[in-house]
């Protein structure tokens, strides 16, 4: 009987049993060299580059936290981030390792068939990859492929790690190989590896799709083959040929090189996005394991989302010709809209990274990465080069053209920096540039209600992990703007949550004094909701919530006089609420609506209405 593990049918007690049986130190030690220090373990963080250990694992609380990059959580969130597994995949792997039986659910006929088809797709592609790879490495007819890669500087180890291949100059090489292993020609057609001759309804036989080409196996994060990109070795057309779109393969959802780069991106802290297969191979061999490429198409939003799962910073490195520059401009907009900080590197003296590395070497390439332009400046330089603005009108038009890029910047400091950049470059006053951009913004958001938010400023500090500015805090550069949060209230919220975690019996008093929706920090509200509804901490929640929870649990806090501490925190929050402006309440209400807490939002709406009646 076909079965599957399904999250909605997995009891919480099973998840908790897996968590309790798991040795978090044992698991994390497979990725990080940990040293015991009292009740905790310390090591170098696997999620960012550091020289002094700030990564902490606490077996007693079964949590980890990095005081350098503020990433934290439990063993599930660690594996989800490190291996890019789903929550269910983490539970499955740990349950298998520690001997916990998981519930099973019977598949429907449609699900059973879809599962069978996917498994068959993977089996066929694995066989095809082995066939092409073996021909390249060992067959006499693969000599032409070996010679091609040798001239491109690709050695045997690289051929193996990227599972490169060669398709022979025959019409039925793969067909014959597959038939001997029970794979029928129509199955190869369904999976994009063969083509049927003849007109519709009248088959004239079959022939291999890939012939006389070197093949780049497209591997997913699990190192499974899901498609191929082929390059001819003569003057045949098309020069490049990719696997066609299918039920299980979509070029716009994948990135070449991700099977190795998903770890490299984590380690480097950013991704190098290039255009060609050989660019990825050359860069990864030159010490840049974070290099990936789109699959012969313009960058898609799905590929940007895939990158966003691993990093918030991308360096774009497209070919230096006109087509490459335009591709960089288009790709930059997609990455920007995905919330990714984007820089653009420009190569001189070579058309692509592969050629540059062969001509100048890795050291000079490192210098190129040290001279990148942020996307906004790159776009400005490109537009000015195409049409240099001479008149006041042309300068005004350029500001209007670049305004959308500035408007979408969430950091006020970064936004002001771009506005001042335009002012300096175009010889215009800063105030004039600001007014013009505001005019565009106001036009685009006409009839939209504005809510005042606090000015957010980034502060680089391990301890100051919530970006405290004066007497307010904000969430960070890459998160949506949030209402002003006074430092006093922020500290009170953290202490209240810690007290609740240690002693859930405080819950009725907090609710009676403050209600259920007074929390200003969204992650604090979500953790409270778990405690209020479930009476325990969340095992599976958003990454930001897990990190916030880990920082709460691992913070050294004296709570010996808990009753007095509880009362002080409640009174501090009540005092601040009495002085809270209507605009602050509106901003907090919007945040609650966005998080889905409609009851809390309605309670604030009622309070806003009462204050407005009183003329506040």
């Amino acid at each position: 009987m076909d079965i599957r593990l399904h999250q909605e049918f997995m009891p919480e007690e099973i998840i908790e049993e897996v968590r309790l049986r798991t040795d978090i130190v044992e698991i994390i030690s497979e990725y990080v060299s940990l040293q015991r220090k009292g009740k905790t373990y310390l090591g170098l963080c696997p999620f960012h580059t550091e020289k002094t250990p700030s990564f902490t694992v606490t077996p007693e609380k079964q949590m980890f936290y990095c005081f350098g990059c503020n990433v934290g959580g439990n063993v599930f969130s660690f594996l989800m981030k490190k291996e890019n597994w789903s929550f269910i995949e983490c539970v499955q792997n740990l349950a298998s390792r520690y001997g916990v039986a998981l519930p099973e659910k019977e598949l429907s006929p449609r699900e059973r068939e879809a599962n069978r088809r996917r498994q068959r797709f993977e089996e066929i592609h694995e066989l095809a990859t082995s066939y092409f790879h073996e021909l390249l490495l060992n067959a006499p007819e693969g000599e032409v492929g070996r010679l091609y890669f040798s001239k491109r500087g690709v050695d045997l180890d690289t051929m193996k790690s990227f599972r490169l291949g060669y398709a022979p100059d025959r019409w039925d090489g793969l067909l014959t190989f597959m038939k001997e292993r029970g794979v029928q020609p129509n199955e190869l057609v369904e999976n994009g590896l063969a083509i049927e001759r003849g007109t519709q309804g009248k088959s004239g036989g079959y022939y291999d799709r890939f012939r006389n080409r070197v093949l780049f196996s497209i591997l997913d994060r699990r190192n499974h083959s899901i498609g191929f990109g082929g390059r001819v070795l003569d003057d045949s057309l098309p020069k490049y040929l990719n696997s066609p779109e299918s039920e299980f393969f979509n070029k716009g959802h994948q990135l070449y090189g991700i099977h190795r780069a998903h770890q490299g991106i984590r380690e480097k802290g950013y991704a190098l996005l290039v255009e060609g297969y050989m660019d990825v191979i050359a860069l990864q061999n030159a010490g840049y394991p974070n290099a990936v490429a789109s699959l012969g198409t313009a960058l898609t939003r799905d590929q940007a989302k895939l990158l966003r799962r691993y990093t918030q910073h991308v360096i774009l490195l497209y070919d230096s010709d006109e087509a490459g520059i335009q591709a960089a401009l288009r790709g930059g907009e997609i990455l920007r809209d995905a919330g990714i900080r984007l820089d653009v590197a420009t190569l001189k003296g070579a058309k692509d990274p592969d050629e540059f590395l062969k001509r100048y070497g890795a050291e000079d390439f490192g210098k190129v990465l040290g001279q990148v332009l942020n996307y906004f400046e790159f776009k400005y330089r490109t537009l000015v080069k195409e049409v240099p603005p001479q008149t006041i009108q042309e300068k005004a038009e350029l500001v209007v053209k670049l305004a959308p890029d500035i408007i979408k910047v969430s950091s006020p400091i970064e936004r002001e920096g771009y506005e001042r950049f335009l002012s300096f470059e175009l010889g215009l006053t800063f105030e004039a540039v600001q007014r013009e951009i505001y005019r565009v913004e106001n036009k685009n958001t006409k009839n939209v209600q504005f809510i005042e938010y606090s000015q957010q400023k980034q502060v680089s500090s391990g301890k100051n992990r919530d970006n405290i500015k004066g007497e307010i805090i904000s969430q960070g550069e890459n998160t949506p703007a949030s209402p002003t949060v006074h430092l006093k209230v922020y500290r009170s919220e953290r202490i209240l949550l810690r007290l609740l975690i240690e002693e859930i019996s405080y819950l009725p008093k907090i609710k009676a004094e403050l209600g259920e929706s007074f929390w200003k920090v969204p992650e604090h509200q979500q953790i409270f909701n778990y405690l209020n509804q479930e009476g325990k901490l969340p095992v599976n929640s958003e990454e930001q919530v897990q990190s916030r929870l880990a920082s709460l649990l691992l913070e050294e806090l004296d709570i010996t006089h808990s009753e007095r501490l509880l009362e002080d925190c409640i009174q501090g929050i009540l005092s601040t609420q009495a002085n809270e402006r209507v605009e602050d309440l509106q901003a907090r209400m919007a945040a609650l609506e966005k998080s889905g807490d409609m009851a809390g939002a309605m309670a604030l709406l009622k309070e806003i209405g009462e204050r407005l009646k009183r003329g506040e």
Side-chain angles (χ1 to χ4, degrees):
M1 179 174 62
D2 288 310
I3 52 176
R4 71 174 177 182
L5 181 66
H6 201 282
Q7 185 173 358
E8 62 183 294
F9 294 97
M10 187 184 297
E12 283 289 332
E13 58 267 23
I14 296 292
I15 297 174
E16 184 65 8
E17 183 181 357
V18 173
R19 189 182 71 83
L20 291 175
R21 284 204 197 181
T22 299
D23 185 341
I24 190 171
V25 174
E26 179 183 39
I27 295 298
I28 293 181
S29 290
E30 296 178 2
Y31 303 86
V32 181
S33 178
L34 296 174
Q35 290 187 339
R36 190 181 186 105
K37 186 178 180 181
K39 293 183 179 181
T40 64
Y41 290 80
L42 292 177
L44 295 175
C45 181
F47 304 119
H48 82 289
T49 303
E50 63 177 5
K51 295 181 180 179
T52 304
S54 60
F55 183 83
T56 303
V57 182
T58 306
E60 182 183 0
K61 294 183 169 64
Q62 288 289 296
M63 302 292 283
F64 74 92
Y65 190 75
C66 175
F67 290 92
C69 66
N70 313 321
V71 171
N74 56 25
V75 69
F76 299 125
S77 49
F78 178 86
L79 290 174
M80 288 170 71
K81 193 169 184 66
K82 189 63 182 171
E83 292 290 352
N84 202 37
W85 290 343
S86 67
F87 178 74
I88 289 300
E89 286 176 320
C90 292
V91 175
Q92 284 176 312
N93 280 276
L94 292 175
S96 175
R97 178 166 178 165
Y98 290 97
V100 180
L102 297 177
E104 298 168 343
K105 177 180 178 292
E106 186 174 356
L107 293 170
S108 69
R110 178 179 295 181
E111 290 170 326
R112 207 159 39 238
E113 175 60 16
N115 195 39
R116 183 199 68 78
R117 287 173 60 83
R118 173 171 286 282
Q119 289 180 353
R120 189 58 170 166
F121 171 87
E122 292 180 351
E123 289 171 4
I124 289 173
H125 273 77
E126 193 61 35
L127 281 171
T129 303
S130 299
Y131 168 73
F132 295 133
H133 188 56
E134 180 65 21
L135 278 176
L136 175 66
L137 295 187
N138 300 312
E141 57 189 323
E143 177 64 26
V144 63
R146 293 192 291 274
L147 182 61
Y148 170 82
F149 282 123
S150 177
K151 288 181 177 179
R152 300 295 301 267
V154 178
D155 59 20
L156 181 61
D157 288 340
T158 303
M159 292 182 197
K160 291 180 178 178
S161 62
F162 284 89
R163 303 179 75 183
L164 302 176
Y166 171 71
D169 192 11
R170 285 191 277 141
W171 293 93
D172 61 352
L174 182 64
L175 281 162
T176 302
F177 174 85
M178 288 294 199
K179 191 171 184 180
E180 292 171 353
R181 286 154 182 79
V183 181
Q184 300 305 311
N186 65 302
E187 290 185 284
L188 294 181
V189 172
E190 288 177 2
N191 289 282
L193 294 168
I195 298 174
E196 186 175 9
R197 289 191 180 94
T199 57
Q200 187 174 4
K202 294 183 179 180
S203 176
Y206 304 87
Y207 61 93
D208 291 353
R209 176 179 295 275
F210 298 104
R211 303 177 308 281
N212 193 31
R213 293 175 183 267
V214 289
L215 293 182
F216 298 86
S217 299
I218 299 169
L219 309 172
D220 65 13
R221 179 187 55 79
R222 303 168 300 162
N223 205 31
H224 290 176
S225 174
I226 55 175
F228 301 95
R231 187 194 188 283
V232 294
L233 296 175
D234 52 26
D235 296 327
S236 304
L237 292 175
K239 184 177 180 181
Y240 293 99
L241 180 65
N242 289 319
S243 292
E245 300 283 305
S246 71
E247 183 180 357
F248 304 113
F249 175 66
N250 186 313
K251 294 191 292 292
H253 293 172
Q254 305 294 334
L255 292 166
Y256 183 72
I258 198 68
H259 69 293
R260 297 177 69 186
H262 75 278
Q263 291 282 21
I265 293 170
R266 296 284 197 201
E267 292 165 5
K268 291 281 189 179
Y270 68 95
L272 266 177
L273 182 59
V274 296
E275 287 189 279
Y277 299 132
M278 283 303 306
D279 294 330
V280 170
I281 292 173
L283 283 167
Q284 291 199 9
N285 281 346
Y288 294 93
N290 52 335
V292 291
S294 52
L295 301 177
T297 58
L299 186 73
T300 68
R301 298 191 184 281
D302 287 314
Q303 289 169 333
K305 289 178 183 177
L306 179 58
L307 280 170
R308 187 66 174 76
R309 291 164 65 180
Y310 301 105
T311 184
Q312 296 178 12
H313 181 201
V314 170
I315 295 180
L316 201 59
L317 193 61
Y318 280 3
D319 292 353
S320 56
D321 57 15
E322 181 60 26
I325 291 173
Q326 294 305 314
L329 289 173
R330 291 192 300 271
E333 290 184 0
I334 290 172
L335 292 167
R336 176 204 63 195
D337 291 345
I340 292 174
R341 179 166 67 87
L342 178 65
D343 293 320
V344 181
T346 303
L347 297 176
K348 295 180 180 179
K351 65 179 178 63
D352 55 42
D354 181 36
E355 182 180 297
F356 187 94
L357 286 167
K358 286 181 173 60
R359 186 172 297 176
Y360 302 106
E363 185 176 345
D364 281 357
F365 182 79
K367 294 176 182 177
V368 170
L369 295 185
Q371 300 172 346
V372 297
L373 297 177
N374 63 62
Y375 174 70
F376 180 82
E377 186 174 350
F378 169 77
K379 186 171 183 178
Y380 170 82
R381 302 287 182 205
T382 301
L383 293 176
V384 167
K385 186 177 179 180
E386 290 175 351
V387 184
Q390 302 295 334
T391 66
I392 295 297
Q393 181 62 34
E394 289 171 342
K395 291 179 180 181
E397 290 173 356
L398 183 58
V399 172
V400 170
K401 189 175 290 187
L402 290 167
D405 295 280
I406 295 178
I407 291 168
K408 291 183 179 180
V409 173
S410 60
S411 165
I413 294 176
E414 187 179 353
R415 173 169 173 160
E416 182 177 325
Y418 293 148
E419 291 169 342
R420 290 192 182 278
F421 171 83
L422 284 180
S423 169
F424 177 79
E425 290 288 328
L426 297 175
L428 304 171
T429 67
F430 172 61
E431 292 74 15
V433 171
Q434 271 197 320
R435 283 197 300 270
E436 186 68 14
I437 292 172
Y438 178 76
R439 185 186 64 79
V440 175
E441 184 175 21
N442 193 42
K443 181 180 179 181
N444 292 341
T445 56
K446 192 174 182 180
N447 299 324
V448 176
Q449 180 182 1
F450 284 92
I451 298 176
E452 181 182 341
Y453 291 96
S454 63
Q455 292 292 298
Q456 301 182 12
K457 181 177 181 180
Q458 293 294 294
V459 180
S460 180
S461 167
K463 294 181 181 178
N464 197 3
R465 52 188 168 273
D466 295 289
N467 302 322
I468 299 171
K469 180 200 176 208
E471 293 185 352
I472 64 172
I473 69 158
S474 59
Q475 286 179 287
E477 180 179 358
N478 294 307
T479 53
S482 57
T484 299
V485 182
H486 291 269
L487 177 56
K488 178 182 176 182
V489 173
Y490 169 74
R491 291 296 302 163
S492 295
E493 287 190 7
R494 285 181 68 84
I495 294 171
L496 279 181
L497 276 180
R498 180 65 178 273
L499 289 171
L500 264 181
I501 291 169
E502 300 292 339
E503 185 52 72
I504 195 67
S505 63
Y506 289 141
L507 185 61
K509 180 176 177 61
I510 292 174
K511 290 166 64 176
E513 296 277 358
L514 299 172
E516 298 181 11
S517 304
F518 64 90
W519 307 90
K520 285 198 170 184
V521 179
E523 293 88 356
H524 292 174
Q525 180 74 61
Q526 291 179 59
I527 294 171
F528 173 79
N529 289 344
Y530 275 102
L531 292 169
N532 186 28
Q533 297 164 14
E534 306 293 334
K536 58 185 179 181
L537 296 174
V539 175
N540 178 32
S541 57
E542 294 178 2
E543 183 177 323
Q544 283 183 318
V545 175
Q546 284 291 337
S547 293
R548 179 78 63 172
L549 183 57
S551 71
L552 275 170
L553 290 173
L554 299 185
E555 183 177 19
E556 293 183 8
L557 185 65
D558 182 7
I559 55 174
T560 51
H561 304 289
S562 57
E563 295 283 351
R564 180 176 176 181
L565 202 55
L566 178 69
E567 191 62 39
D568 287 346
C569 289
I570 290 175
Q571 292 306 315
I573 290 174
L574 287 173
S575 174
T576 305
Q577 285 179 347
N579 298 320
E580 197 168 22
R581 298 178 305 161
V582 169
E583 290 86 350
D584 294 330
L585 293 174
Q586 288 176 322
R588 188 146 59 94
M589 182 183 72
L592 288 173
E593 288 177 338
K594 188 171 183 179
S595 68
D597 187 355
M598 301 309 296
M602 291 301 294
L604 283 179
L605 180 61
K606 182 179 178 181
E607 183 177 346
I608 290 169
E610 291 173 352
R611 288 199 178 197
L612 290 174
K613 286 179 182 178
R614 296 195 299 265
E616 295 183 16

